[in-house]
Amino acid sequence: MSAPVVRPLRIVVAEDEALLREGLVRILERAGHQVLADVDDADALLAFVERTTPDLVITDIRMPPTHTDEGLRAAIAIRAGHPETAVMVLSAYIADAYVADLLDSAPDGGIGYLLKDRVGHVRDFLSSLDRVAAGGTVVDPEVVRQLLRRSRSDGPLAALTARELEVLAQMAEGHTNQGIADRLFVSEAAVRKHIGSIFAKLPLDPDSDRRVSAVLTYLRG
Amino acid sequence: MTSPPDAWTAVRGRPWRFLLSAWPWRALAYDLGSVVVGLAWLMLLALVLGIGLSTVILVVGLFVLAAVPALAHLAAVLERRRLRLVLPHGTEESGERPSLRESWRVQRGLPVAWSEVGHLVLLATLGWLVGLLAAAVAAAPVILLLAPWLADDDVIDFAGWRIDSGPEPWMASALGLVLLVVAAYVVTWLACGHAALTRLLLDPSDARLAEAVAAVRRSRSGLADAYESERRRIERDLHDGVQQRLLALTMTLGSAELEAEGPTLTLVRQAHEQAEQALAELRTTVRGIHPRVLTDHGLTAAVHEVADRSPVPVHLGLALDERLPAPVEAAAYFFVSEALTNVVRHAGAGSAQVHAWTESGSLVLTVSDDGHGGAEPRPGSGLEGLRLRVEAMDGSMRITSPPGGPTSVRMTCPLP
């Protein structure tokens, strides 16, 4: 097994599409994680979490019976009731409403939002899971790119330089300082300097983690 | 000096203006026409009824009699046209008039219009008698006027008055002049009365026409609905079927990548990339058919998504609090989507705005840009397709795009 396993996670998978559910379980088990249960609706998911308190929940947003946002509501409920359980939400497409709801519900991290396509990039997907389980916030690069494309001439982000925005986008995707340095081809010290000036320029919530707060500010535009 | 719009207005106006106008002559023509047309219809009607009633026992007669409403409609169409002789305005509907053939065809699908049948019977009986009366009224002063010349050769017997010699013919002539004025009025009144009765009987068929138009409109919007639900079905099949399978395939290939080595790994990576491309293409197709975000979250979210994908910055002002009916949402979504595509492709714009709000039971949507203008809906173009789509919803679309810009496209769609 070449995928790096930080620690075996106890995971519950919720996905109503049988093919994808099986695929996910296979990927997770091959990576050495323990899949406690795989369920196909949000009620079963909540019941399982209540009983087993897993390390991580992976849930589709759309699930029966209404096929709208059951998974998302379950994710928010789990983050509120079980701070020790991290949640990775999977979505078939980007919907702003989802991202905002999700991030607002978890100001202390431990949450992720990825497009389903990302699962096929198994190595990246597994490392995203590890980061979320470790209390990080992971947002799909596509979502980040889309948010970046919007004009934000009036928001708090207007104060940032292009480079600082780039660094912040990488933070939003959940990368570490070293990871950002590698991706932007700069030194880690340079990244730390940029992050310092980002923290100084943004109006951050003093009670929460500055990194998470900055990312949230970024994602809200 | 403007001339009166119709005979009825003229006859009630100033006498001199009326007498010197063409209206008395037109009224006379109408009356004389009534005699010819009325008698013609009388004969035709008698023929049809005769044949119909005498063969009714052979069933054939029923079919012959069934032709009467159709004949009545034909008479109605012709009389409406003749009506313009005295009432040029306010008779026929404005805009494009259906041809006789179209009108005939529509008529076959409509229930019997008894008012039209009544009109035909009146025309064939009373109509020509009224016309004849008018003709007699018009003839009297003419005979009196010509008395001095006619009396030379003959003796005139006018309503018991023998006019033969001396000053009598000249007195008759003078009387004729007075009667001419009276006749002008009488002839016009008779024509107006006849015309008014015709309109009274035929106007209800306008209501039937409106009813038929409403039916056509219903079937059109029914077609649009059917088309829309078919799109949704295709989208659902693709999204729940092929898309999920492709996604599962990329997962499997992703797992295989972790274990493959050497040339096999290269092949697996290629397969993975190809599967992802197929998935991306499929997603674009599905979005073009009917985006899932529209079904799940409604117009506002879907328009946000379109705006986010647009290479030209789009400013959104959407004041829509609740979900709209699905067909309206779909029409509105494709309107924004197509309009923004046009902005990107043709307008050379630096930015675009989308605004949406509801106003007196309608959805109003505008897409504007700061480009160079000159946009035109050509047949077969995307804009024209949009117009048809919006019109199928009973809505309307307007484009303002002066050369040099800016361009603004606006759609209004009633909310059922």
Side-chain angles (χ1 to χ4, degrees), chain B residues 263-352:
Chain B
T264 316
L265 178 62
T266 316
L267 283 176
V268 172
R269 279 207 177 124
Q270 269 178 16
H272 192 173
E273 263 170 40
Q274 286 164 3
E276 283 200 317
Q277 273 167 18
L279 194 57
E281 273 171 34
L282 181 64
R283 184 162 292 129
T284 310
T285 308
V286 167
R287 202 185 285 132
I289 296 170
H290 193 106
R292 184 46 69 105
V293 64
L294 182 64
T295 318
D296 290 353
H297 298 279
L299 190 58
T300 305
V303 168
H304 268 283
E305 205 204 32
V306 175
D308 282 338
R309 281 202 311 274
S310 167
V312 174
V314 182
H315 174 77
L316 298 178
L318 308 175
L320 304 170
D321 297 332
E322 46 196 59
R323 292 291 299 262
L324 304 171
V328 177
E329 278 193 337
Y333 170 81
F334 287 105
F335 174 82
V336 173
S337 179
E338 179 68 31
L340 285 179
T341 305
N342 278 343
V343 169
V344 173
R345 279 202 199 137
H346 308 298
S351 70

Side-chain angles (χ1 to χ4, degrees), chain B residues 140-146 158 161 169-183:
Chain B
V142 174
I143 292 171
L144 288 179
L145 267 173
L146 297 178
F158 188 85
W161 179 23
W170 295 103
M171 283 167 61
S173 196
L175 184 64
L177 209 58
V178 176
L179 279 184
L180 195 63
V181 173
V182 176

Side-chain angles (χ1 to χ4, degrees), chain B residues 93-111:
Chain B
E93 67 283 3
S94 59
E96 211 175 331
R97 207 191 333 266
S99 70
L100 203 58
R101 210 169 128 196
E102 280 173 326
S103 175
W104 185 265
R105 208 176 289 166
V106 167
Q107 159 69 17
R108 287 193 310 197
L110 292 175

Side-chain angles (χ1 to χ4, degrees), chain B residues 22-278:
Chain B
W23 292 113
W25 298 106
R26 293 179 70 142
L28 183 64
Y30 182 78
D31 286 326
L32 295 179
S34 296
V35 178
V36 176
V37 173
L39 284 174
W41 279 115
L42 178 63
M43 284 189 275
L44 193 57
L45 206 55
L47 194 68
V48 170
L49 286 177
I51 294 174
L53 289 174
S54 62
T55 55
V56 78
I57 202 154
L58 303 172
V59 184
V60 180
L62 291 176
F63 289 99
V64 178
L65 290 177
V68 170
L71 285 177
H73 182 65
L74 183 64
V77 171
L78 295 174
E79 281 303 288
R80 261 177 220 278
R81 295 191 177 178
R82 217 163 61 81
L83 214 51
R84 272 179 280 158
L85 214 49
V86 278
L87 305 174
H89 306 288
T91 51
E92 285 292 341
E93 67 283 3
S94 59
E96 211 175 331
R97 207 191 333 266
S99 70
L100 203 58
R101 210 169 128 196
E102 280 173 326
S103 175
W104 185 265
R105 208 176 289 166
V106 167
Q107 159 69 17
R108 287 193 310 197
L110 292 175
V112 172
W114 292 110
S115 65
E116 284 184 353
V117 176
H119 163 257
L120 176 58
V121 171
L122 270 181
L123 179 65
T125 53
L126 265 179
W128 65 271
L129 283 174
V130 171
L132 212 55
L133 180 64
V137 168
V142 174
I143 292 171
L144 288 179
L145 267 173
L146 297 178
W149 294 275
L150 292 174
D152 280 352
D153 307 325
D154 207 348
V155 172
I156 306 167
D157 190 357
F158 188 85
W161 179 23
R162 287 183 67 87
I163 306 164
D164 45 11
S165 59
E168 277 190 335
W170 295 103
M171 283 167 61
S173 196
L175 184 64
L177 209 58
V178 176
L179 279 184
L180 195 63
V181 173
V182 176
Y185 274 91
V186 173
V187 162
T188 310
W189 277 330
L190 283 174
C192 287
H194 185 184
L197 185 65
T198 301
R199 261 176 79 176
L200 197 69
L201 286 168
L202 296 187
D203 270 357
S205 76
D206 285 351
R208 290 191 321 139
L209 203 59
E211 180 59 34
V213 167
V216 167
R217 200 168 281 164
R218 271 197 301 279
S219 85
R220 188 175 62 170
S221 80
L223 267 180
D225 284 354
Y227 170 71
E228 201 48 56
S229 55
E230 188 65 2
R231 288 175 79 105
R232 282 158 177 274
R233 189 189 62 74
I234 294 169
E235 183 272 335
R236 213 168 37 239
D237 288 354
L238 287 177
H239 183 86
D240 295 343
V242 187
Q243 224 171 335
Q244 304 300 329
R245 283 186 184 278
L246 269 176
L247 207 50
L249 175 63
T250 61
M251 284 188 193
T252 309
L253 288 169
S255 300
E257 260 172 54
L258 294 181
E259 286 169 29
E261 284 170 2
T264 316
L265 178 62
T266 316
L267 283 176
V268 172
R269 279 207 177 124
Q270 269 178 16
H272 192 173
E273 263 170 40
Q274 286 164 3
E276 283 200 317
Q277 273 167 18

